[in-house]
């Protein structure tokens, strides 16, 4: 499961997610894209949330001055706020922080962000009231997604601006999207969106605004989607490589188990094992058993050594993110000390450095998988390697065949090269220097999601080119490659003459991000 997960967008419809603050999965987060996935709180979380809120109420009653409860925020944390102004303090916090810019987050990503936030609050260390957490869940279940500009989070002090826009929707302010029965999203005033489903806007109490906006929820939303996409795509990359090997009548020698056993890197070994499985029982391989080709180029021969690091990076990213979506990431946090008395402790769990770094790492890996795939496309189109007409054109010279498919793949590589630049190394101190190191994790996470979608188009291009080459080979490819070829031909017809291949590339790119592609090997 670590190496090829079922796509929640397809296989987790009808799921009920029970939030307990400890067991939320990446697949469950992404399954919120299905309209019939529902959420509820566990009994243990209801108890923990209520106990945590009671401790906050004790502090308010004692009139003790505690950061985040009855003080200002950030550089203004030394300003004490009167008891009768605490509601206004929280509302002002949200309105002032809701100043994001740029394109709007897609509503499904917003719902995922809301789910992660609700699960964090469900741990019972944030001091929010039960009715606030329940409103978040009711909005998810009724497909109410506040309109949120994407840009604004520094990935430290939490995703402040995006989560503030989310909270405005909970307050009945700004606008929200609701999903109609036909799946379309319609924008309404947030107050009307809540009213439509019998929900009442929340009036924030002490600590609650900070509890909602201090956290890594936007980062987690984008990284959950990125990991699911990339796990699908690294599987598809091994499949595409195998198809291209058959298309150029390449050597299998480099995937011999003995080679990989003496350099037992986990990801490399997994990739090599998968490739061997894909190449089993091939007439093409048998037909050139005595040929004089000793070694293929690195883009074929070293594929496991290049694909493997992505598998390793994804395993670590999954471990880190699973911990993160089950963590309390706001500040301050509310604990009960050894005497049973409430203790509010300030720290930095909102800092997204670990998420920023895994986002950067995955973006670099994504570029490399696309880069090596593009090199294989070049060889499939090159008569020196394929033994076929240049660019697999039917009428060489009169037609260009698939020539420009490689050009477009190369253009995508340039995009991915830009996107592979590290974001975690960027730091802009804010809040008069009090918040003097930030992670830029939200930027890193969104960039990684964008990169994953670009990668799908390059792998799609490789599959289309290699399948075209296979059409011109009389021998039968391996069993798995035959299934790949048959599947591609369901959506993309053989190139009998020059035509635009944009739609061809897009449909295969879309399908390899679902379980439909991986499912063909289970039949």
């Amino acid at each position: 499961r670590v190496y090829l997960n079922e796509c929640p967008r397809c296989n987790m419809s009808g799921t009920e997610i029970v939030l307990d603050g400890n067991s939320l999965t990446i697949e469950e987060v992404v399954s919120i894209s299905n309209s019939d996935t529902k959420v509820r709180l566990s009994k243990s979380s209801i108890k923990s949330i209520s106990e945590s809120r009671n401790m906050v109420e004790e502090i308010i009653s004692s009139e003790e001055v505690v950061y985040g409860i009855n003080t200002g925020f950030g550089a203004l944390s030394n300003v004490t706020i009167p008891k009768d102004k605490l509601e206004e303090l929280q509302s002002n916090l949200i309105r002032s922080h809701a100043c994001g810019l740029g394109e709007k987050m897609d509503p499904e990503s917003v719902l995922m962000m809301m789910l992660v936030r609700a699960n964090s609050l469900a741990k019972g260390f944030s001091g929010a009231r039960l009715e606030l957490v329940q409103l978040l869940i009711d909005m998810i279940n009724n497909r109410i997604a506040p309109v949120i500009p994407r840009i604004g989070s520094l990935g430290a002090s939490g995703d402040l601006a995006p989560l503030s826009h989310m909270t405005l929707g909970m307050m009945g302010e700004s606008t929200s999207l609701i999903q109609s029965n036909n799946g379309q999203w319609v924008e309404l005033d947030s107050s009307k969106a809540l009213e439509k489903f019998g929900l009442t806007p929340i009036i924030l109490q002490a600590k609650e605004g900070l509890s909602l906006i201090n956290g890594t929820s936007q980062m987690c939303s984008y990284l959950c989607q990125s990991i699911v996409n990339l796990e699908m795509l690294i599987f598809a990359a091994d499949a595409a490589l195998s198809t291209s090997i058959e298309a150029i009548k390449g050597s299998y020698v480099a995937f011999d188990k003995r080679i990989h056993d003496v350099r037992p890197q986990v990801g490399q070994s997994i990739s090599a094992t998968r490739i061997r499985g894909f190449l089993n029982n091939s007439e093409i391989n048998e037909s050139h058993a005595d040929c004089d080709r000793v070694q293929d180029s690195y883009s074929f021969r070293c594929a496991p050594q290049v694909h493997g690091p992505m598998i390793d990076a994804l395993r670590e990213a999954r471990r880190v993110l699973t911990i993160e979506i089950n963590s309390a990431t706001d500040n301050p946090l509310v604990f009960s000390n050894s005497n049973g008395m409430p203790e509010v402790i300030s720290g930095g769990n909102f800092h997204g450095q670990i998420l920023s770094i895994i986002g950067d790492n995955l973006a670099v890996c994504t570029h490399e998988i696309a880069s090596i795939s593009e090199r294989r496309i070049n060889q499939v189109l090159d008569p020196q390697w394929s033994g076929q007409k240049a660019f697999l054109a039917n009428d060489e010279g009169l037609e260009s065949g698939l020539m420009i498919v490689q050009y477009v793949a190369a253009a995508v590589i340039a995009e991915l090269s830009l996107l592979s630049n590290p974001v975690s190394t960027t730091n802009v101190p804010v809040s008069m220097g009090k918040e003097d190191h930030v992670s830029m994790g939200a930027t890193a996470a969104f960039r990684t999601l964008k990169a994953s979608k670009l990668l799908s188009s390059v792998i799609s291009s490789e599959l289309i080119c290699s399948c075209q080459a296979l059409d011109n080979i009389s021998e039968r490819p391996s069993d798995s490659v035959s299934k790949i070829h048959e599947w591609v031909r369901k959506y993309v017809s053989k190139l009998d003459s020059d035509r635009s291949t944009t739609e061809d590339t897009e449909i295969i790119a879309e399908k390899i991000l679902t379980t439909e592609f991986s499912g063909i090997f289970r039949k």
Side-chain angles (χ1 to χ4, degrees):
R1 174 173 142 160
V2 169
Y3 315 120
L4 175 61
N5 288 283
E6 299 299 339
C7 177
R9 295 182 182 89
C10 302
N11 284 353
M12 291 192 68
S13 58
T15 296
E16 182 184 60
I17 301 170
V18 181
L19 298 184
D20 59 11
N22 301 303
S23 58
L24 184 65
T25 69
I26 292 170
E27 282 69 34
E28 285 175 329
V29 172
V30 181
S31 76
I32 287 296
S33 60
N34 294 314
S35 60
D36 49 358
T37 298
K38 301 301 179 186
V39 185
R40 68 176 174 86
L41 283 170
S42 67
K43 290 181 179 179
S44 61
S45 282
I46 291 172
K47 183 174 181 289
S48 298
I49 291 167
S50 299
E51 290 174 349
S52 179
R53 184 61 198 179
N54 288 340
M55 286 190 280
V56 171
E57 297 291 349
E58 284 184 44
I59 292 169
I60 296 169
S61 298
S62 71
E63 298 187 351
E64 180 185 355
V65 177
V66 176
Y67 170 70
I69 295 179
N70 48 17
T71 70
F73 309 104
L76 302 174
S77 60
N78 59 336
V79 179
T80 303
I81 308 301
K83 188 174 181 179
D84 61 353
K85 297 288 187 181
L86 294 184
E87 287 183 11
E88 185 178 354
L89 171 69
Q90 297 298 313
S91 297
N92 286 343
L93 171 69
I94 300 307
R95 291 169 184 143
S96 66
H97 284 45
C99 54
L101 299 171
E103 76 271 27
K104 303 302 185 284
M105 289 182 67
D106 71 89
E108 291 176 349
S109 293
V110 171
L111 294 176
M112 293 177 204
M113 183 175 80
M114 294 167 71
L115 179 65
V116 173
R117 192 79 234 117
N119 193 55
S120 181
L121 299 177
K123 290 185 75 70
F125 297 103
S126 302
R129 287 171 297 156
L130 178 60
E131 48 263 50
L132 180 141
V133 184
Q134 188 59 53
L135 177 60
L136 259 180
I137 291 171
D138 289 340
M139 290 174 71
I140 295 168
N141 288 339
N142 288 293
R143 314 292 286 176
I144 304 172
V147 173
I148 300 175
R150 181 184 64 80
I151 301 171
S153 171
L154 301 183
S157 295
D159 295 319
L160 293 176
L163 288 169
S164 293
H165 283 279
M166 178 197 77
T167 307
L168 276 185
M170 299 174 69
M171 295 163 60
E173 300 181 17
S174 189
T175 59
S176 293
L177 295 168
I178 61 171
Q179 192 170 29
S180 60
N181 291 333
N182 64 4
Q184 298 299 309
W185 291 90
V186 180
E187 188 169 342
L188 296 174
D189 288 341
S190 293
S191 59
K192 292 181 179 178
L194 293 171
E195 182 182 354
K196 180 178 175 65
F197 297 99
L199 302 176
T200 303
I202 199 78
I203 298 174
L204 298 174
Q205 303 295 309
K207 176 71 169 67
E208 291 183 328
L210 203 56
S211 296
L212 283 167
I213 69 174
N214 243 186
T216 59
S217 308
Q218 185 191 40
M219 295 178 249
C220 288
S221 169
Y222 287 136
L223 281 176
C224 283
Q225 295 174 79
S226 300
I227 288 172
V228 167
N229 283 354
L230 291 172
E231 286 176 338
M232 290 289 173
L233 291 173
I234 193 59
F235 177 85
D238 283 339
L241 169 277
S242 303
T243 309
S244 295
I245 287 174
E246 295 287 70
I248 67 164
K249 298 186 176 182
S251 171
Y252 289 13
V253 172
F255 313 109
D256 190 299
K257 185 175 185 296
R258 291 167 294 181
I259 293 174
H260 304 280
D261 284 348
V262 296
R263 191 202 192 191
Q265 297 287 355
V266 175
Q268 174 183 326
S269 297
I270 290 168
S271 178
T273 300
R274 263 200 309 233
I275 293 165
R276 287 196 302 273
F278 283 134
L279 294 174
N280 189 45
N281 192 23
S282 166
E283 290 181 5
I284 291 176
N285 187 56
E286 292 173 3
S287 73
H288 64 96
D290 298 319
C291 74
D292 58 0
R293 184 186 293 181
V294 178
Q295 292 183 331
D296 292 319
S297 65
Y298 284 1
S299 59
F300 290 85
R301 187 176 10 138
C302 301
Q305 288 83 356
V306 177
H307 292 192
M310 168 72 94
I311 295 172
D312 288 330
L314 283 166
R315 292 172 72 227
E316 175 63 6
R318 175 170 282 276
R319 182 193 69 81
V320 167
L321 192 59
T322 299
I323 292 171
E324 191 72 13
I325 62 177
N326 290 290
S327 297
T329 55
D330 52 305
N331 180 65
L333 294 170
V334 183
F335 299 93
S336 177
N337 65 22
S338 58
N339 297 320
M341 300 299 292
E343 187 171 357
V344 179
I345 305 176
S346 287
N349 278 359
F350 48 67
H351 203 292
Q353 190 72 27
I354 193 167
L355 303 180
S356 187
I357 287 172
I358 66 168
D360 279 352
N361 194 14
L362 289 176
V364 170
C365 291
T366 299
H367 174 272
E368 291 305 291
I369 300 304
S371 177
I372 198 170
S373 175
E374 183 275 330
R375 289 292 79 206
R376 294 192 295 264
I377 292 170
N378 175 71
Q379 295 211 10
V380 170
L381 300 180
D382 185 343
Q384 176 185 347
W385 293 95
S386 70
Q388 301 192 33
K389 293 179 180 178
F391 310 114
L392 305 178
N394 291 285
D395 193 338
E396 224 175 339
L398 179 64
E399 296 178 355
S400 296
L402 295 170
M403 177 195 294
I404 308 302
V405 171
Q406 187 217 340
Y407 286 44
V408 175
V412 174
I413 302 300
E415 298 268 345
L416 287 169
S417 180
L418 285 173
L419 292 173
S420 67
N421 286 305
V423 180
S424 57
T425 53
T426 301
N427 181 54
V428 180
V430 294
S431 195
M432 298 195 301
K434 188 165 190 177
E435 299 170 10
D436 59 350
H437 185 278
V438 299
S439 75
M440 300 299 181
T443 304
F446 178 75
R447 174 277 319 276
T448 305
L449 177 59
K450 183 178 179 181
S452 73
K453 294 175 181 178
L454 287 170
L455 173 59
S456 70
S457 66
V458 178
I459 296 174
S460 169
S461 297
E462 182 181 357
L463 285 167
I464 289 169
C465 291
S466 58
C467 285
Q468 181 71 19
L470 287 173
D471 284 327
N472 301 323
I473 297 175
S474 59
E475 295 89 357
R476 187 177 182 277
S478 70
D479 293 343
S480 291
V481 171
S482 295
K483 290 180 179 180
I484 293 168
H485 179 267
E486 181 182 352
W487 179 81
V488 168
R489 286 286 169 260
K490 281 174 50 181
Y491 299 103
V492 177
S493 62
K494 179 182 177 183
L495 194 73
D496 292 321
S497 60
D498 280 356
R499 67 168 189 265
S500 170
T501 58
T502 296
E503 290 184 5
D504 297 342
T505 305
E506 288 176 344
I507 186 63
I508 298 300
E510 176 188 329
K511 294 296 182 180
I512 59 177
L513 286 171
T514 74
T515 51
E516 180 182 326
F517 179 66
S518 60
I520 67 176
F521 305 105
R522 300 188 181 95
K523 296 176 182 177

